[in-house]
Amino acid sequence: MAGEVFEMNPVSRITIEAVGQPGQRVFLLQASQGTETITLKIEKEQAQVLAHSIEQLLEELDDRFPRPISKMEEPLTSELMLREPIEPLFPVGQMGLGYDESEDALVLVAQELTIEEEEHTARIARFWATRGQMRAISRHALDVVDMGRPICPLCSRPMDPDGHFCPKSNGHEREH
């Protein structure tokens, strides 16, 4: 028995945002089609990998099926902000990207995070978007990721606002 499938083809808006303080942020993938909105919980690393994967796919599409992206196709910054409902429908375990040449549309497929025994009941969301929408979500996601805690130049770990214990600083606390 397969899990429930949520299909938005096409999305009217799609975004990635984070809520909460750096170090305790929750990353959300949100898409709307008309008045229906779906919010999914993702990890910071998933947001970052997705953003880079979108850019890579767009570069490949520009080579194989060249078509300039007009400014009209890219959403306004206000359309990249979260809207209600912000409560996630499910946490995402896996994501994939695809392209439909006949529609010139990209599809983002997100599968629910489940334990192995329940994989066959995992819910899936498919969001179909334009090249411009996907370019905007990619850039916005990288901006959101970059707004997190600064990274320690010595150990490459995130630094907290109240100080940072860096293993490479010989046990001395390091201020940022």
Side-chain angles (χ1 to χ4, degrees), residues 124-137:
I124 294 174
R126 285 194 288 256
F127 305 126
W128 297 80
T130 67
R131 293 184 193 197
Q133 287 172 313
M134 293 303 264
R135 174 168 288 147
I137 188 179

Side-chain angles (χ1 to χ4, degrees), residues 20 74 124 165:
E74 292 194 34
I124 294 174
F165 174 80

Side-chain angles (χ1 to χ4, degrees), residues 21-24 148-150 158-164 173-176:
Q21 295 299 314
Q24 300 175 351
R149 296 178 288 175
M159 297 188 301
D160 292 319
D162 57 348
H164 170 66
E173 199 165 295
R174 180 173 168 81
E175 296 295 322
H176 60 280

Side-chain angles (χ1 to χ4, degrees), residues 118-144:
E118 296 176 354
E119 280 182 349
H120 63 283
T121 62
R123 293 176 284 182
I124 294 174
R126 285 194 288 256
F127 305 126
W128 297 80
T130 67
R131 293 184 193 197
Q133 287 172 313
M134 293 303 264
R135 174 168 288 147
I137 188 179
S138 171
R139 291 175 179 164
H140 187 69
L142 289 174
D143 288 345
V144 170

Side-chain angles (χ1 to χ4, degrees), residues 70-121:
S70 76
K71 285 290 181 195
M72 299 298 291
E73 192 178 329
E74 292 194 34
L76 302 170
T77 304
S78 62
E79 294 172 336
L80 295 171
M81 300 299 125
L82 291 175
R83 298 183 185 163
E84 292 294 332
I86 293 179
E87 186 64 33
L89 186 61
F90 59 80
V92 173
Q94 296 181 53
M95 286 190 282
L97 281 173
Y99 175 71
D100 181 341
E101 184 181 353
S102 65
E103 297 292 323
D104 189 31
L106 283 78
V107 61
L108 169 58
V109 180
Q111 181 178 321
E112 181 177 20
L113 176 65
T114 59
I115 57 174
E116 245 179 82
E117 296 80 32
E118 296 176 354
E119 280 182 349
H120 63 283
T121 62

